[in-house]
Amino acid sequence: MNVHLPESVEEAVALLGQGTVIAGGTHAFPRLDPTESIISLRRVAGLSGVTQEGGRVRVGATTTLTTLAREVDFLREAVHSIASPTIRNLATVGGNLFVPQPHGDLAVCLLALDAEIEREGDLVTAVSFDEPERWFYRKAMRRRQNSASIVTVASDGARIALGGVAREPVRALKAEEALAAGDIEAAAELSVEAADPFDDAYASAWYRRRVLPVHVRRTLSHAV
């Protein structure tokens, strides 16, 4: 295996296309071919860390989930619902954007926050978002810890994002309209219109669709 270790964003961008880009590698490593080249971002300066100024939060792409939970209070519950502490110590904010459902719970949160993705070329360098006045989050799992999502719901009180119920995180736009009118019950029922559920080892498509309104209702009734 050929490993590239760029030390700057410019070096990393120049290497794109010459291997698989990894940071924490928690999702990629088990799936890599032994002969495959990788581009590790671990030594790239300026890609990690959290800054907060004037209610705006900026998170470097190689910031670990553990660091994110420590630095951004309202996301702590969501981050702690992802994988195990060992995985969170390695897994990165940027990497989670590319993890397929039902595993990318942080991406669901970022969608609900209308986060902006910063890039240099095709390389994600950071995400940024406004800290919400209210925050709602719920993840339904088969067990309490270290399990993939059956249904994930995140909301800032206006936007509603769903995970586990489609092949990628989705906004529940019709549900958002009902929420804006103050009708949580209607928002819960309308959330299924955004879903395109699938069968996997964790739950059937039928079950995901059936329980989605229940979890949306419970989420919107209890702010974190």
Side-chain angles (χ1 to χ4, degrees):
M1 179 178 288
N2 187 26
V3 181
H4 300 282
L5 294 169
E7 297 186 357
S8 68
V9 171
E10 292 74 20
E11 286 181 42
V13 171
L15 287 167
L16 293 180
Q18 299 182 41
T20 299
V21 177
I22 66 167
T26 56
H27 181 74
F29 268 133
R31 296 162 177 80
L32 287 175
D33 187 287
T35 64
E36 192 170 349
S37 294
I38 63 173
I39 303 165
S40 173
L41 301 181
R42 279 302 186 184
R43 294 186 182 177
V44 178
L47 284 188
S48 66
V50 179
T51 58
Q52 302 182 56
E53 184 176 354
R56 188 72 175 174
V57 182
R58 184 181 185 275
V59 186
T62 62
T63 304
T64 66
L65 298 187
T66 295
T67 299
L68 179 66
R70 183 175 65 246
E71 299 291 332
V72 184
D73 290 345
F74 79 92
L75 285 176
R76 186 168 298 136
E77 179 182 344
V79 172
H80 285 175
S81 76
I82 301 171
S84 66
T86 301
I87 295 295
R88 294 195 296 268
N89 286 340
L90 293 171
T92 63
V93 171
N96 194 260
L97 295 174
F98 300 95
V99 175
Q101 291 291 298
H103 300 278
D105 297 300
L106 180 60
V108 180
C109 295
L110 295 176
L111 183 60
L113 292 165
D114 197 27
E116 294 183 1
I117 308 299
E118 299 178 22
R119 300 189 307 171
E120 183 157 328
D122 291 329
L123 182 69
V124 173
T125 57
V127 297
S128 60
F129 49 85
D130 292 326
E131 187 167 351
E133 294 184 5
R134 297 186 297 164
W135 182 245
F136 305 82
Y137 178 81
R138 185 179 185 86
K139 177 180 176 179
M141 302 174 281
R142 293 188 67 177
R143 57 181 184 270
R144 292 191 64 182
Q145 299 293 332
N146 198 14
S147 180
S149 170
I150 294 174
V151 173
T152 301
V153 185
S155 175
D156 66 349
R159 289 176 287 266
I160 302 172
L162 308 174
V165 295
R167 292 297 178 181
E168 58 187 23
V170 294
R171 285 271 300 277
L173 299 180
K174 291 291 183 63
E176 290 175 1
E177 293 176 4
L179 182 61
D183 194 338
I184 291 177
E185 186 65 34
E189 296 304 320
L190 288 168
S191 64
V192 298
E193 295 194 15
D196 184 17
F198 50 89
D199 297 329
D200 65 6
Y202 302 98
S204 67
W206 176 88
Y207 183 76
R208 284 185 158 99
R209 185 178 295 275
R210 183 70 178 269
V211 301
L212 173 57
V214 175
H215 291 297
V216 171
R217 184 182 305 111
R218 291 175 179 174
T219 305
L220 298 178
S221 299
H222 299 90
V224 174

